[in-house]
Amino acid sequence: MTTAPLQGIKVIDWTQVQSGPSCTQMLAWLGADVIKIERVGLGDPTRTELLDKEGLDGLYFLQLNCNKRSIELNVKTKEGQEILTKLLKDADIFVENLHPGAADKLGFSWENLHKLNPRLIYGTIKGFNDDSPFADVKAFEPVAQCAGGAAATTGWWSGECNIPTQSGAALGDSNTGMHLVIGLLAALMQREKTGEGCFVQQSMQDAVLNLCRIKLRDQLILEHTGDLKHAPSYPKIKGGNTVPRFGNAEGGQVLGWCYKCKGWETDPNAFVYIVLQNEAKPFAEACQALGKPEWINDPKYNTPLARNLVKDEIYKGVEAYTITRDKFEVVKELGKAGVPCGPVLSMLEIEKDESLRKCGTIVEVDQPKRGKFLTIGCPPKFSNYTPNIKSAPLLGENTNEILKEIGYSDGEIAQLRSNHIVCK
Ligand SMILES: CC(C)(COP(=O)(O)OP(=O)(O)OC[C@H]1O[C@@H](n2cnc3c(N)ncnc32)[C@H](O)[C@@H]1OP(=O)(O)O)[C@@H](O)C(=O)NCCC(=O)NCCS
């Protein structure tokens, strides 16, 4: 049997909603024992958010908390704090994403925990860094997308829709969780060498900004050259002093656009994305496949700079081809011709996609009480390890076993229950 990468690693998970739970779920998939600390009687707020079936934990919770164990614990009591302290004494990783100052206020600061257990790695997620003027501000997904440069550069660059727009992808939440995973894994490697844990802080603003570094590239190009020739508005609209929203433009210097396909009038996702490469050979191949061989040698089209000046005309020409075919036909034909392209897949199409299920990207999980639900499994695929995606814990499901593991007797557990330190 293959050893899980994080087998033997104990994680105390005091996180909630999405950013922190996405991080600890990934650690669990890599084989860590993840113990989720939840508020007595309430638990993670996502347990009761967007309910699709009355009385059952919500899908929001289930999709972010698989393979964990749950203990309901009132950390605002002396006894609750003692229990958390005991759990942390021999833990490898602690992760929290409470509002700024909340964990410190209850005695669980980095300084205290480093003294308690010098090997412990402490991971924390906040909206903003300590040096930020917004360091004390609470944050959710769109806050991070707005402060991290994503909203200002996403959406349409003109007209009524020229407003900051957030992505449907969780750049502020799950992306931050994945950034913290990287930090925690590096800290584990470091601890192998030094024997000492460290503090890993990941702000949501930084995680978004890290994915917007090409937009900072554009800002500098704009300042150095006075224009952004790869902006979709070029050459029609003279740019301002900052990076405009790019709509569906590719973002680099290649000509990429999202085109209507057959059925677009009734299907909002009957679209395909096609990139016309800069180099002469792939451009010529694309022209042949698109039925535009006349573009290959015409100086109006046959260099990237020339094409950039007439891109609206090119978009129209390509769309004349795509609109007569459905998006899958387009990808089949153009893909064969070596043209980079992809269908716009709806969530319904993704849900039903057999290939995503076959490779374990979309998995069906059997959840106590509910039965089967679909989730997105572990994105990295290993040659010698396949995470077994298991159910998410019911609220406080593992309270007894966790307390026994740190030395509490049945009598003591009963007492803790009657005092509401753990679940009722
Ligand atoms: C997400 C967020 C906005 C929610 O803020 P919130 O509504 O104040 O909720 P929190 O859980 O942080 O804190 C609520 C209280 O519950 C308490 N609490 C949490 N777990 C507890 C437990 N097991 N036992 C007792 N009390 C608990 C906290 O100590 C806090 O008490 P306080 O307000 O007296 O300090 C905030 O936690 C935040 O900004 N987090 C950092 C960024 C982040 O990760 N955002 C989430 C993105 S998905």
Side-chain angles (χ1 to χ4, degrees):
M1 206 182 84
T2 311
T3 307
L6 296 185
Q7 187 170 309
I9 296 295
K10 179 173 165 185
V11 177
I12 303 303
D13 172 16
W14 199 7
T15 72
Q16 54 178 342
V17 199
Q18 184 177 168
S19 62
S22 67
C23 165
T24 51
Q25 177 170 258
M26 183 58 77
L27 298 176
W29 286 344
L30 296 179
D33 175 18
V34 176
I35 297 176
K36 186 171 171 92
I37 310 294
E38 299 198 70
R39 287 173 302 163
V40 175
L42 298 168
D44 189 315
T46 58
R47 282 191 185 270
T48 51
E49 218 179 295
L50 303 172
L51 293 187
D52 60 318
K53 294 190 178 183
E54 212 43 56
L56 296 181
D57 288 324
L59 290 162
Y60 195 0
F61 176 82
L62 301 183
Q63 295 199 335
L64 287 152
N65 291 283
C66 286
N67 296 60
K68 302 180 186 177
R69 297 196 286 161
S70 163
I71 174 170
E72 268 174 298
L73 186 64
N74 185 350
V75 188
K76 284 203 168 159
T77 61
K78 196 169 123 304
E79 296 93 327
Q81 288 166 10
E82 272 167 23
I83 292 169
L84 183 52
T85 304
K86 280 188 187 160
L87 284 168
L88 289 164
K89 248 188 183 145
D90 68 344
D92 298 283
I93 298 176
F94 174 58
V95 190
E96 67 85 21
N97 75 329
L98 302 182
H99 68 75
D104 290 14
K105 206 165 63 182
L106 295 174
F108 297 93
S109 64
W110 156 243
E111 291 74 19
N112 286 353
L113 297 192
H114 191 50
K115 265 186 228 140
L116 173 80
N117 172 4
R119 285 180 58 77
L120 184 74
I121 293 159
Y122 189 129
T124 186
I125 291 175
K126 297 290 167 266
F128 302 90
N129 274 318
D130 286 347
D131 290 332
S132 164
F134 316 121
D136 294 331
V137 177
K138 294 180 187 178
F140 281 103
E141 170 73 52
V143 173
Q145 290 207 26
C146 289
T153 52
T154 304
W156 229 247
W157 63 88
S158 64
E160 266 180 36
C161 295
N162 183 9
I163 47 172
T165 305
Q166 68 158 331
S167 164
L171 306 179
D173 283 342
S174 283
N175 170 46
T176 302
M178 296 308 103
H179 273 78
L180 185 60
V181 169
I182 297 169
L184 295 173
L185 295 180
L188 273 175
M189 291 299 291
Q190 185 190 53
R191 195 187 69 172
E192 287 292 300
K193 300 180 183 91
T194 63
E196 200 176 357
C198 70
F199 183 62
V200 186
Q201 185 174 24
Q202 181 61 59
S203 81
M204 294 166 70
Q205 182 185 33
D206 285 12
V208 174
L209 190 51
N210 188 32
L211 301 193
C212 287
R213 65 177 56 233
I214 58 159
K215 298 301 178 185
L216 179 59
R217 172 204 66 189
D218 289 349
Q219 181 64 33
L220 299 178
I221 293 172
L222 178 59
E223 287 167 17
H224 297 168
T225 68
D227 216 340
L228 269 187
K229 292 194 170 65
H230 62 294
S233 48
Y234 181 88
K236 282 191 186 148
I237 306 173
K238 181 86 185 130
N241 65 355
T242 192
V243 181
R245 294 182 250 289
F246 264 56
N248 281 322
E250 197 270 349
Q253 207 163 26
V254 289
L255 220 51
W257 198 247
C258 199
Y259 297 98
K260 287 173 184 161
C261 293
K262 201 155 109 188
W264 68 273
E265 299 91 337
T266 50
D267 176 359
N269 295 302
F271 282 78
V272 67
Y273 202 94
I274 299 172
V275 176
L276 293 179
Q277 290 178 262
N278 284 340
E279 297 74 12
K281 183 174 170 280
F283 177 68
E285 285 165 355
C287 292
Q288 293 289 6
L290 291 163
K292 292 284 178 194
E294 66 274 18
W295 285 355
I296 299 174
N297 295 313
D298 186 338
K300 192 174 166 195
Y301 305 100
N302 70 355
T303 65
L305 285 180
R307 289 197 283 281
N308 196 35
L309 297 175
V310 292
K311 53 187 166 231
D312 287 348
E313 211 180 297
I314 291 187
Y315 293 157
K316 264 194 207 137
V318 175
E319 198 155 86
Y321 162 89
T322 60
I323 211 154
T324 60
R325 294 156 169 85
D326 79 38
K327 60 190 176 189
F328 298 108
E329 270 178 272
V330 172
V331 173
K332 201 169 170 197
E333 283 183 12
L334 295 189
K336 219 184 265 171
V339 181
C341 58
V344 170
L345 293 180
S346 70
M347 268 300 147
L348 179 63
E349 287 163 335
I350 286 172
E351 182 200 347
K352 307 285 179 210
D353 189 315
E354 282 305 321
S355 65
L356 290 171
R357 291 186 187 219
K358 200 170 161 200
C359 63
T361 298
I362 302 246
V363 286
E364 205 169 58
V365 179
D366 211 357
Q367 180 67 17
K369 294 192 181 174
R370 172 187 279 267
K372 297 208 186 313
F373 72 95
L374 275 193
T375 192
I376 296 168
C378 184
K381 309 284 189 284
F382 302 87
S383 64
N384 61 359
Y385 172 69
T386 305
N388 179 11
I389 313 295
K390 295 189 198 146
S391 59
L394 300 172
L395 178 57
E397 181 179 342
N398 313 96
T399 302
N400 271 19
E401 75 192 41
I402 292 167
L403 289 173
K404 282 189 177 171
E405 282 165 13
I406 50 172
Y408 287 88
S409 67
D410 286 335
E412 286 169 325
I413 295 172
Q415 191 65 45
L416 289 168
R417 276 187 196 284
S418 66
N419 292 341
H420 295 187
I421 308 301
V422 297
C423 40
K424 299 186 273 291

